[in-house]
Amino acid sequence: MQKSINRTLICLLLCISVFIGSLLLAGTLDYKSQLLSFFPQLNNATPCRTGSPPLRVYMYDLPPRFNVGMLDPSFPEKTPVTAANIPAWRWNDGLQKQHSVEYWMMASLLYDKNDEFGSTREAIRVSDPDSADVFFVPFFSSFSFNMYVRNMRESNTDDKLQPEIVNILKASDYWKRSGGQDHVIPLHHPNAFRHYRDQVNSSIFIVADFGRIINISRLAKDVVAPYPHMVESYVNDDHEDAFESRQTLLFFRGRTKRKDEGKIRAQLHTMLNGTEDVIYEDAYASEEGFKASAEQMRSSKFCLHPAGDTPSSCRLFDAIVSHCIPVIVSDRIELPFENELDYKEFSIFFSVNEALEPGYLISELRKVSKEKWIKMWLRLKSISHHFEFHYPPVKDDAVNMIWRQVKQKVPAVKLAVHRSRRLKIPDWWR
Protein backbone atom coordinates (compact mmCIF):
# COMPACT_ATOMS: atom_id res chain seq x y z
CA MET A 1 0.00 0.00 0.00
CA GLN A 2 2.79 2.40 0.96
CA LYS A 3 4.67 1.61 -2.27
CA SER A 4 1.56 2.40 -4.29
CA ILE A 5 1.21 5.77 -2.55
CA ASN A 6 4.88 6.56 -3.15
CA ARG A 7 4.61 5.71 -6.84
CA THR A 8 1.56 7.94 -7.14
CA LEU A 9 3.35 10.87 -5.50
CA ILE A 10 6.40 10.41 -7.73
CA CYS A 11 4.20 10.37 -10.85
CA LEU A 12 2.39 13.47 -9.71
CA LEU A 13 5.65 15.35 -9.12
CA LEU A 14 6.95 14.30 -12.53
CA CYS A 15 3.76 15.48 -14.24
CA ILE A 16 3.94 18.85 -12.50
CA SER A 17 7.62 19.23 -13.45
CA VAL A 18 6.89 18.42 -17.09
CA PHE A 19 3.96 20.85 -17.14
CA ILE A 20 6.02 23.72 -15.70
CA GLY A 21 8.96 22.91 -17.95
CA SER A 22 6.80 22.99 -21.06
CA LEU A 23 5.41 26.38 -20.09
CA LEU A 24 8.90 27.74 -19.51
CA LEU A 25 10.06 26.52 -22.91
CA ALA A 26 7.03 28.06 -24.56
CA GLY A 27 7.63 31.32 -22.73
CA THR A 28 4.02 31.48 -21.57
CA LEU A 29 4.27 30.98 -17.82
CA ASP A 30 2.40 33.65 -15.87
CA TYR A 31 3.31 32.95 -12.26
CA LYS A 32 0.69 35.26 -10.82
CA SER A 33 -2.26 33.88 -12.76
CA GLN A 34 -1.15 30.30 -12.16
CA LEU A 35 -0.87 30.88 -8.41
CA LEU A 36 -4.20 32.71 -8.26
CA SER A 37 -5.89 29.81 -10.06
CA PHE A 38 -4.83 27.50 -7.21
CA PHE A 39 -5.16 30.04 -4.39
CA PRO A 40 -8.02 32.47 -5.20
CA GLN A 41 -7.75 34.09 -1.78
CA LEU A 42 -4.53 35.76 -2.92
CA ASN A 43 -6.70 37.96 -5.12
CA ASN A 44 -7.80 39.78 -1.97
CA ALA A 45 -4.31 41.02 -1.21
CA THR A 46 -3.55 44.69 -1.68
CA PRO A 47 -1.58 45.24 -4.92
CA CYS A 48 2.16 45.29 -4.43
CA ARG A 49 4.80 47.06 -6.43
CA THR A 50 6.86 44.99 -8.80
CA GLY A 51 10.08 46.88 -8.10
CA SER A 52 10.19 48.50 -11.54
CA PRO A 53 12.06 51.83 -11.81
CA PRO A 54 10.02 55.02 -11.38
CA LEU A 55 8.46 56.81 -14.31
CA ARG A 56 10.75 59.55 -15.62
CA VAL A 57 8.73 62.73 -16.08
CA TYR A 58 9.78 65.98 -17.69
CA MET A 59 7.59 68.83 -16.42
CA TYR A 60 7.05 71.89 -18.60
CA ASP A 61 8.28 75.07 -16.91
CA LEU A 62 5.15 77.20 -17.22
CA PRO A 63 4.67 80.68 -15.77
CA PRO A 64 2.91 80.54 -12.38
CA ARG A 65 -0.28 82.08 -13.82
CA PHE A 66 -0.99 78.67 -15.31
CA ASN A 67 -0.84 76.89 -11.95
CA VAL A 68 0.20 78.05 -8.48
CA GLY A 69 -0.51 81.70 -9.28
CA MET A 70 -4.19 80.76 -9.07
CA LEU A 71 -3.62 79.59 -5.49
CA ASP A 72 -1.50 82.59 -4.56
CA PRO A 73 -1.99 85.66 -6.79
CA SER A 74 1.06 87.29 -5.15
CA PHE A 75 3.38 84.53 -6.40
CA PRO A 76 6.05 86.26 -8.56
CA GLU A 77 5.37 85.65 -12.24
CA LYS A 78 9.01 85.10 -13.16
CA THR A 79 9.94 82.94 -10.17
CA PRO A 80 10.25 79.18 -10.85
CA VAL A 81 8.02 76.98 -8.72
CA THR A 82 10.03 74.69 -6.44
CA ALA A 83 9.45 72.35 -3.53
CA ALA A 84 10.50 75.19 -1.22
CA ASN A 85 8.06 77.83 -2.48
CA ILE A 86 5.03 75.93 -3.75
CA PRO A 87 1.97 77.29 -1.93
CA ALA A 88 0.33 74.88 0.48
CA TRP A 89 -3.06 73.61 -0.58
CA ARG A 90 -5.94 75.67 0.83
CA TRP A 91 -7.99 72.92 2.46
CA ASN A 92 -11.03 75.15 2.89
CA ASP A 93 -11.51 75.47 -0.88
CA GLY A 94 -14.28 72.90 -1.18
CA LEU A 95 -15.16 73.06 -4.87
CA GLN A 96 -11.54 73.45 -5.96
CA LYS A 97 -10.44 70.59 -3.71
CA GLN A 98 -12.71 68.13 -5.52
CA HIS A 99 -10.66 68.52 -8.71
CA SER A 100 -7.23 69.29 -7.22
CA VAL A 101 -5.49 66.24 -8.73
CA GLU A 102 -3.48 68.61 -10.94
CA TYR A 103 -1.96 70.27 -7.85
CA TRP A 104 -0.93 66.99 -6.19
CA MET A 105 0.63 65.64 -9.39
CA MET A 106 2.70 68.79 -9.84
CA ALA A 107 3.71 68.88 -6.18
CA SER A 108 4.82 65.25 -6.26
CA LEU A 109 7.25 66.03 -9.07
CA LEU A 110 8.63 69.10 -7.29
CA TYR A 111 9.40 67.10 -4.16
CA ASP A 112 13.13 66.38 -4.47
CA LYS A 113 14.14 64.94 -1.12
CA ASN A 114 14.78 61.32 -0.31
CA ASP A 115 11.89 59.90 1.65
CA GLU A 116 11.60 56.81 3.80
CA PHE A 117 10.48 54.80 0.79
CA GLY A 118 13.49 55.68 -1.32
CA SER A 119 13.14 54.32 -4.83
CA THR A 120 9.53 53.20 -4.40
CA ARG A 121 8.13 56.49 -5.73
CA GLU A 122 6.17 55.88 -8.91
CA ALA A 123 7.37 59.01 -10.72
CA ILE A 124 10.39 61.30 -10.52
CA ARG A 125 11.14 64.54 -12.30
CA VAL A 126 14.00 64.62 -14.81
CA SER A 127 15.67 67.75 -16.16
CA ASP A 128 16.70 66.20 -19.48
CA PRO A 129 13.70 65.91 -21.84
CA ASP A 130 15.49 63.28 -23.90
CA SER A 131 15.56 60.93 -20.91
CA ALA A 132 11.85 61.34 -20.13
CA ASP A 133 9.20 58.65 -20.50
CA VAL A 134 6.39 61.23 -20.46
CA PHE A 135 5.93 65.00 -20.38
CA PHE A 136 3.70 66.59 -17.74
CA VAL A 137 1.78 69.79 -18.49
CA PRO A 138 1.18 71.60 -15.14
CA PHE A 139 -1.81 73.65 -16.26
CA PHE A 140 -4.43 73.80 -13.50
CA SER A 141 -7.28 73.55 -16.00
CA SER A 142 -9.88 72.51 -13.40
CA PHE A 143 -8.88 75.24 -10.95
CA SER A 144 -8.93 77.73 -13.82
CA PHE A 145 -12.49 76.83 -14.73
CA ASN A 146 -13.71 76.94 -11.13
CA MET A 147 -11.92 80.21 -10.41
CA TYR A 148 -12.50 82.25 -13.55
CA VAL A 149 -15.70 81.03 -15.19
CA ARG A 150 -18.89 82.55 -13.88
CA ASN A 151 -20.91 82.75 -17.08
CA MET A 152 -20.13 80.22 -19.82
CA ARG A 153 -20.85 82.79 -22.52
CA GLU A 154 -18.58 85.57 -21.26
CA SER A 155 -14.92 85.83 -22.14
CA ASN A 156 -12.69 85.27 -19.10
CA THR A 157 -9.15 84.49 -18.01
CA ASP A 158 -9.70 80.75 -18.50
CA ASP A 159 -10.63 81.34 -22.14
CA LYS A 160 -7.31 83.16 -22.63
CA LEU A 161 -5.13 80.61 -20.84
CA GLN A 162 -6.36 77.67 -22.92
CA PRO A 163 -5.09 78.86 -26.34
CA GLU A 164 -1.84 80.02 -24.73
CA ILE A 165 -1.17 76.48 -23.51
CA VAL A 166 -2.02 75.00 -26.91
CA ASN A 167 0.42 77.39 -28.60
CA ILE A 168 3.17 76.53 -26.09
CA LEU A 169 2.69 72.83 -26.66
CA LYS A 170 2.49 72.94 -30.43
CA ALA A 171 5.68 75.00 -30.55
CA SER A 172 7.52 72.38 -28.50
CA ASP A 173 9.85 70.00 -30.32
CA TYR A 174 8.82 67.26 -27.91
CA TRP A 175 5.16 67.71 -28.71
CA LYS A 176 5.97 67.64 -32.43
CA ARG A 177 8.09 64.51 -32.03
CA SER A 178 5.24 62.43 -30.60
CA GLY A 179 2.19 64.38 -31.69
CA GLY A 180 1.54 64.86 -27.97
CA GLN A 181 0.97 61.16 -27.31
CA ASP A 182 3.54 61.03 -24.51
CA HIS A 183 2.18 64.16 -22.80
CA VAL A 184 0.10 64.03 -19.61
CA ILE A 185 -2.60 66.68 -19.15
CA PRO A 186 -4.94 66.81 -16.12
CA LEU A 187 -8.58 67.48 -17.14
CA HIS A 188 -10.33 66.35 -14.00
CA HIS A 189 -13.25 68.77 -14.02
CA PRO A 190 -15.74 67.87 -16.79
CA ASN A 191 -15.53 71.43 -18.15
CA ALA A 192 -11.74 71.79 -17.88
CA PHE A 193 -9.98 72.88 -21.10
CA ARG A 194 -13.41 72.74 -22.71
CA HIS A 195 -12.65 74.89 -25.79
CA TYR A 196 -9.36 73.30 -26.83
CA ARG A 197 -9.27 69.76 -25.47
CA ASP A 198 -9.96 68.36 -28.94
CA GLN A 199 -6.64 69.88 -30.10
CA VAL A 200 -4.67 67.95 -27.49
CA ASN A 201 -6.71 64.75 -27.42
CA SER A 202 -3.76 62.59 -28.46
CA SER A 203 -2.34 63.11 -24.97
CA ILE A 204 -2.89 61.08 -21.80
CA PHE A 205 -5.72 62.83 -19.99
CA ILE A 206 -6.19 62.58 -16.23
CA VAL A 207 -9.99 62.56 -15.84
CA ALA A 208 -12.65 61.92 -13.21
CA ASP A 209 -14.77 59.93 -15.68
CA PHE A 210 -15.88 60.12 -19.30
CA GLY A 211 -19.32 61.58 -18.68
CA ARG A 212 -18.88 64.74 -20.74
CA ILE A 213 -15.81 63.97 -22.80
CA ILE A 214 -16.67 60.46 -23.96
CA ASN A 215 -16.06 61.35 -27.62
CA ILE A 216 -12.53 62.55 -26.87
CA SER A 217 -11.28 60.49 -23.94
CA ARG A 218 -10.67 56.75 -24.18
CA LEU A 219 -10.06 54.17 -21.49
CA ALA A 220 -7.16 52.76 -23.52
CA LYS A 221 -5.10 55.96 -23.35
CA ASP A 222 -6.45 57.99 -20.42
CA VAL A 223 -6.30 57.61 -16.64
CA VAL A 224 -9.29 57.79 -14.31
CA ALA A 225 -8.27 59.53 -11.07
CA PRO A 226 -10.22 59.72 -7.81
CA TYR A 227 -11.72 62.89 -6.41
CA PRO A 228 -9.92 64.05 -3.25
CA HIS A 229 -12.37 63.24 -0.47
CA MET A 230 -14.21 66.05 1.27
CA VAL A 231 -14.82 64.44 4.67
CA GLU A 232 -12.09 63.59 7.17
CA SER A 233 -10.74 60.05 7.02
CA TYR A 234 -11.93 57.59 9.65
CA VAL A 235 -8.61 56.65 11.25
CA ASN A 236 -9.89 55.04 14.45
CA ASP A 237 -12.47 52.69 12.97
CA ASP A 238 -11.72 49.78 15.28
CA HIS A 239 -15.10 48.86 16.77
CA GLU A 240 -15.35 45.34 18.12
CA ASP A 241 -18.67 44.98 16.29
CA ALA A 242 -18.69 47.51 13.44
CA PHE A 243 -21.80 46.00 11.88
CA GLU A 244 -23.96 46.57 14.95
CA SER A 245 -22.43 49.98 15.74
CA ARG A 246 -23.56 51.32 12.36
CA GLN A 247 -27.30 51.55 12.94
CA THR A 248 -28.32 53.37 9.74
CA LEU A 249 -28.78 51.01 6.79
CA LEU A 250 -28.28 53.49 3.92
CA PHE A 251 -27.11 57.12 3.84
CA PHE A 252 -27.10 59.83 1.19
CA ARG A 253 -26.59 63.57 1.53
CA GLY A 254 -26.22 65.93 -1.42
CA ARG A 255 -27.93 67.85 -4.15
CA THR A 256 -30.86 65.97 -5.65
CA LYS A 257 -31.46 68.20 -8.68
CA ARG A 258 -28.82 67.26 -11.25
CA LYS A 259 -28.58 66.94 -15.02
CA ASP A 260 -28.41 63.97 -17.40
CA GLU A 261 -28.03 60.63 -15.60
CA GLY A 262 -28.03 62.56 -12.32
CA LYS A 263 -31.79 63.01 -12.57
CA ILE A 264 -32.00 59.67 -10.80
CA ARG A 265 -31.15 61.46 -7.54
CA ALA A 266 -34.54 63.18 -7.41
CA GLN A 267 -36.30 59.92 -8.26
CA LEU A 268 -34.46 58.05 -5.53
CA HIS A 269 -35.25 60.81 -3.07
CA THR A 270 -38.97 60.39 -3.75
CA MET A 271 -38.66 56.61 -3.47
CA LEU A 272 -36.43 56.34 -0.38
CA ASN A 273 -37.34 59.37 1.71
CA GLY A 274 -39.07 58.19 4.87
CA THR A 275 -37.85 54.58 4.58
CA GLU A 276 -36.93 52.99 7.91
CA ASP A 277 -33.17 52.97 8.60
CA VAL A 278 -32.52 55.20 5.56
CA ILE A 279 -31.27 58.81 5.57
CA TYR A 280 -31.69 60.63 2.25
CA GLU A 281 -31.06 64.36 2.58
CA ASP A 282 -31.12 67.13 -0.01
CA ALA A 283 -28.27 69.47 0.89
CA TYR A 284 -25.63 71.80 -0.52
CA ALA A 285 -21.90 71.51 0.12
CA SER A 286 -20.60 73.37 3.18
CA GLU A 287 -18.06 72.85 5.93
CA GLU A 288 -20.85 72.08 8.39
CA GLY A 289 -22.37 69.70 5.88
CA PHE A 290 -19.10 67.80 5.43
CA LYS A 291 -18.81 67.33 9.19
CA ALA A 292 -22.40 66.10 9.40
CA SER A 293 -21.84 63.75 6.46
CA ALA A 294 -18.70 62.33 8.05
CA GLU A 295 -20.56 61.48 11.25
CA GLN A 296 -23.47 59.91 9.39
CA MET A 297 -21.26 57.92 7.03
CA ARG A 298 -19.39 56.48 10.01
CA SER A 299 -22.67 55.36 11.54
CA SER A 300 -24.09 53.84 8.32
CA LYS A 301 -23.57 50.39 6.87
CA PHE A 302 -24.02 51.52 3.25
CA CYS A 303 -23.53 54.89 1.51
CA LEU A 304 -25.45 55.61 -1.66
CA HIS A 305 -23.57 56.90 -4.70
CA PRO A 306 -25.97 57.81 -7.52
CA ALA A 307 -24.66 59.64 -10.58
CA GLY A 308 -24.45 63.42 -10.45
CA ASP A 309 -24.00 65.68 -13.49
CA THR A 310 -21.44 63.04 -14.49
CA PRO A 311 -21.32 59.35 -13.48
CA SER A 312 -18.90 59.91 -10.58
CA SER A 313 -18.52 62.37 -7.70
CA CYS A 314 -16.43 62.87 -4.56
CA ARG A 315 -19.21 61.17 -2.56
CA LEU A 316 -17.87 57.75 -3.53
CA PHE A 317 -14.45 58.55 -2.10
CA ASP A 318 -15.96 60.10 1.00
CA ALA A 319 -17.63 56.73 1.58
CA ILE A 320 -14.39 54.83 1.00
CA VAL A 321 -12.39 56.81 3.57
CA SER A 322 -15.35 56.54 5.98
CA HIS A 323 -15.34 52.75 5.52
CA CYS A 324 -19.01 52.88 4.56
CA ILE A 325 -19.77 50.25 1.89
CA PRO A 326 -20.44 52.21 -1.34
CA VAL A 327 -23.70 51.48 -3.15
CA ILE A 328 -23.00 52.63 -6.71
CA VAL A 329 -25.92 53.42 -9.00
CA SER A 330 -24.69 54.27 -12.49
CA ASP A 331 -24.72 52.57 -15.86
CA ARG A 332 -21.62 54.29 -17.23
CA ILE A 333 -19.23 54.92 -14.36
CA GLU A 334 -15.48 54.36 -14.73
CA LEU A 335 -13.49 53.79 -11.56
CA PRO A 336 -9.91 54.65 -10.55
CA PHE A 337 -7.24 51.95 -10.38
CA GLU A 338 -9.66 49.26 -11.52
CA ASN A 339 -6.88 47.21 -13.09
CA GLU A 340 -5.54 46.72 -9.55
CA LEU A 341 -8.66 46.92 -7.38
CA ASP A 342 -11.77 44.76 -7.65
CA TYR A 343 -14.51 47.12 -6.50
CA LYS A 344 -16.95 44.22 -6.14
CA GLU A 345 -14.96 43.20 -3.06
CA PHE A 346 -15.94 46.36 -1.19
CA SER A 347 -18.85 47.93 -3.12
CA ILE A 348 -22.33 46.98 -4.30
CA PHE A 349 -23.55 47.92 -7.77
CA PHE A 350 -27.04 48.56 -9.12
CA SER A 351 -28.07 49.56 -12.61
CA VAL A 352 -30.34 52.58 -12.92
CA ASN A 353 -33.31 50.34 -13.76
CA GLU A 354 -32.63 48.11 -10.75
CA ALA A 355 -32.35 51.08 -8.40
CA LEU A 356 -35.65 52.53 -9.60
CA GLU A 357 -37.57 49.28 -9.17
CA PRO A 358 -39.73 49.93 -6.10
CA GLY A 359 -38.33 48.22 -3.00
CA TYR A 360 -35.59 46.31 -4.85
CA LEU A 361 -32.50 48.23 -3.74
CA ILE A 362 -33.44 48.28 -0.05
CA SER A 363 -34.49 44.62 -0.03
CA GLU A 364 -31.15 43.59 -1.57
CA LEU A 365 -29.20 45.58 1.01
CA ARG A 366 -31.16 44.02 3.86
CA LYS A 367 -30.19 40.58 2.50
CA VAL A 368 -26.47 41.28 2.97
CA SER A 369 -25.38 39.12 5.89
CA LYS A 370 -23.29 40.39 8.76
CA GLU A 371 -20.48 38.05 7.71
CA LYS A 372 -20.44 39.39 4.15
CA TRP A 373 -20.63 43.01 5.31
CA ILE A 374 -17.71 42.55 7.72
CA LYS A 375 -15.64 41.02 4.94
CA MET A 376 -16.35 43.99 2.65
CA TRP A 377 -15.69 46.45 5.47
CA LEU A 378 -12.30 44.90 6.23
CA ARG A 379 -11.38 45.03 2.55
CA LEU A 380 -12.48 48.66 2.38
CA LYS A 381 -10.24 49.54 5.32
CA SER A 382 -7.29 47.79 3.67
CA ILE A 383 -7.49 49.78 0.42
CA SER A 384 -8.65 53.21 1.58
CA HIS A 385 -5.06 54.53 1.76
CA HIS A 386 -4.95 54.40 -2.06
CA PHE A 387 -7.42 57.31 -2.07
CA GLU A 388 -5.47 59.68 0.20
CA PHE A 389 -3.59 62.65 -1.27
CA HIS A 390 -0.37 63.66 0.48
CA TYR A 391 2.48 66.10 0.15
CA PRO A 392 5.15 64.91 0.45
CA PRO A 393 3.82 61.87 -1.42
CA VAL A 394 3.43 58.62 0.51
CA LYS A 395 3.96 55.11 -0.78
CA ASP A 396 0.88 53.77 -2.62
CA ASP A 397 -1.15 56.91 -1.94
CA ALA A 398 -3.48 58.40 -4.57
CA VAL A 399 -0.78 60.40 -6.37
CA ASN A 400 1.56 57.43 -6.62
CA MET A 401 -1.32 55.26 -7.81
CA ILE A 402 -2.15 57.78 -10.54
CA TRP A 403 1.46 57.90 -11.71
CA ARG A 404 1.53 54.10 -11.70
CA GLN A 405 -1.46 54.12 -14.05
CA VAL A 406 0.35 56.56 -16.33
CA LYS A 407 3.43 54.34 -16.30
CA GLN A 408 1.33 51.43 -17.52
CA LYS A 409 0.30 53.49 -20.57
CA VAL A 410 3.89 54.10 -21.67
CA PRO A 411 4.54 50.89 -23.67
CA ALA A 412 1.46 51.48 -25.84
CA VAL A 413 2.46 55.12 -26.28
CA LYS A 414 5.98 54.18 -27.38
CA LEU A 415 4.59 51.64 -29.83
CA ALA A 416 2.28 54.25 -31.35
CA VAL A 417 5.02 56.88 -31.56
CA HIS A 418 7.56 54.51 -33.13
CA ARG A 419 5.03 53.28 -35.70
CA SER A 420 3.98 56.81 -36.63
CA ARG A 421 7.59 57.78 -37.38
CA ARG A 422 8.13 55.08 -39.98
CA LEU A 423 4.71 54.99 -41.67
CA LYS A 424 4.57 56.40 -45.20
CA ILE A 425 0.79 56.16 -45.51
CA PRO A 426 -2.06 56.98 -43.07
CA ASP A 427 -2.21 54.57 -40.14
CA TRP A 428 -4.65 51.79 -41.07
CA TRP A 429 -5.53 51.18 -37.41
CA ARG A 430 -6.94 54.68 -36.86
Side-chain angles (χ1 to χ4, degrees):
M1 181 67 178
Q2 184 63 42
K3 290 182 179 180
S4 176
I5 293 174
N6 290 340
R7 283 197 298 268
T8 301
L9 290 173
I10 291 171
C11 289
L12 180 60
L13 289 172
L14 286 172
C15 288
I16 292 174
S17 300
V18 171
F19 172 69
I20 293 175
S22 63
L23 288 175
L24 285 170
L25 290 173
T28 60
L29 183 59
D30 180 348
Y31 295 98
K32 182 178 179 182
S33 61
Q34 296 295 326
L35 283 171
L36 292 180
S37 67
F38 287 102
F39 304 105
Q41 64 270 27
L42 292 179
N43 265 321
N44 293 329
T46 301
C48 296
R49 284 186 38 81
T50 60
S52 59
L55 185 73
R56 294 165 298 179
V57 185
Y58 179 84
M59 181 164 59
Y60 277 82
D61 186 15
L62 299 178
R65 68 177 181 276
F66 289 103
N67 41 67
V68 300
M70 301 179 202
L71 280 167
D72 180 6
S74 66
F75 196 96
E77 182 66 9
K78 295 184 178 180
T79 300
V81 186
T82 66
N85 65 15
I86 184 172
W89 180 256
R90 302 185 314 213
W91 287 102
N92 60 338
D93 283 339
L95 183 61
Q96 284 83 359
K97 179 185 175 184
Q98 292 184 53
H99 299 288
S100 60
V101 168
E102 54 206 11
Y103 171 86
W104 302 107
M105 294 183 73
M106 180 182 184
S108 73
L109 294 177
L110 291 173
Y111 187 69
D112 55 3
K113 298 178 182 178
N114 292 326
D115 56 28
E116 61 180 300
F117 303 111
S119 62
T120 62
R121 290 172 60 187
E122 298 292 344
I124 57 171
R125 186 183 186 185
V126 295
S127 57
D128 178 11
D130 290 320
S131 69
D133 298 310
V134 295
F135 295 77
F136 181 65
V137 182
F139 172 39
F140 289 2
S141 58
S142 297
F143 203 112
S144 180
F145 176 81
N146 282 327
M147 183 173 183
Y148 298 125
V149 179
R150 295 293 177 266
N151 186 322
M152 290 283 210
R153 297 180 181 179
E154 294 179 359
S155 178
N156 53 65
T157 302
D158 183 51
D159 289 343
K160 297 174 183 177
L161 291 176
Q162 292 177 56
E164 278 193 75
I165 281 292
V166 171
N167 291 335
I168 290 171
L169 292 176
K170 293 197 171 181
S172 164
D173 290 337
Y174 300 101
W175 178 277
K176 295 175 185 177
R177 185 177 66 181
S178 68
Q181 293 179 90
D182 54 4
H183 283 52
V184 179
I185 305 178
L187 299 176
H188 203 255
H189 191 286
N191 287 318
F193 223 144
R194 68 194 190 285
H195 296 314
Y196 291 88
R197 63 168 71 113
D198 60 330
Q199 296 192 32
V200 295
N201 67 351
S202 60
S203 300
I204 300 170
F205 290 164
I206 308 298
V207 298
D209 56 42
F210 301 140
R212 291 188 188 172
I213 51 178
I214 196 165
N215 294 325
I216 294 177
S217 289
R218 299 189 304 275
L219 193 59
K221 78 173 184 70
D222 298 321
V223 170
V224 178
Y227 288 69
H229 56 84
M230 304 298 291
V231 305
E232 290 188 9
S233 302
Y234 198 1
V235 295
N236 295 315
D237 188 10
D238 53 1
H239 293 278
E240 292 185 7
D241 194 338
F243 184 82
E244 297 298 337
S245 71
R246 293 173 178 254
Q247 298 183 355
T248 299
L249 176 70
L250 180 66
F251 170 74
F252 171 85
R253 190 176 194 277
R255 295 176 63 182
T256 58
K257 295 180 180 179
R258 310 306 288 171
K259 296 175 284 188
D260 301 325
E261 191 179 346
K263 292 177 181 178
I264 190 178
R265 289 191 181 186
Q267 296 169 286
L268 288 171
H269 184 250
T270 300
M271 181 183 300
L272 298 175
N273 192 32
T275 303
E276 183 183 1
D277 297 337
V278 173
I279 297 175
Y280 199 113
E281 298 178 348
D282 184 9
Y284 286 83
S286 67
E287 286 301 315
E288 295 75 17
F290 295 140
K291 291 178 181 178
S293 292
E295 291 179 8
Q296 290 170 319
M297 285 184 170
R298 295 176 185 186
S299 60
S300 300
K301 293 180 176 68
F302 300 98
C303 287
L304 188 63
H305 175 68
D309 289 346
T310 59
S312 64
S313 75
C314 65
R315 190 165 289 97
L316 169 60
F317 309 103
D318 288 346
I320 288 175
V321 300
S322 301
H323 310 150
C324 179
I325 307 301
V327 176
I328 299 173
V329 179
S330 177
D331 292 333
R332 293 173 55 186
I333 193 169
E334 295 294 346
L335 298 165
F337 322 140
E338 199 166 7
N339 63 328
E340 298 191 41
L341 301 178
D342 182 358
Y343 280 74
K344 290 282 287 183
E345 294 177 349
F346 54 85
S347 306
I348 296 178
F349 291 83
F350 291 92
S351 69
V352 170
N353 287 338
E354 288 173 335
L356 293 178
E357 183 179 331
Y360 180 74
L361 186 148
I362 294 299
S363 66
E364 289 299 302
L365 295 182
R366 293 196 194 281
K367 291 178 185 176
V368 177
S369 67
K370 179 177 180 178
E371 181 183 17
K372 180 178 179 181
W373 187 90
I374 290 292
K375 183 178 181 181
M376 297 178 78
W377 172 72
L378 288 172
R379 181 63 177 143
L380 194 55
K381 290 176 63 177
S382 74
I383 57 86
S384 62
H385 65 287
H386 294 312
F387 299 91
E388 302 284 1
F389 287 83
H390 299 283
Y391 182 77
V394 173
K395 180 184 178 183
D396 290 337
D397 69 355
V399 178
N400 272 309
M401 292 288 284
I402 292 168
W403 282 122
R404 188 187 303 175
Q405 300 296 301
V406 173
K407 183 162 60 173
Q408 292 167 359
K409 305 289 183 183
V410 170
V413 168
K414 288 185 176 179
L415 171 63
V417 171
H418 293 167
R419 288 185 71 254
S420 66
R421 289 181 187 174
R422 55 91 172 167
L423 291 179
K424 306 258 183 210
I425 62 173
D427 191 347
W428 50 88
W429 291 113
R430 290 185 180 272

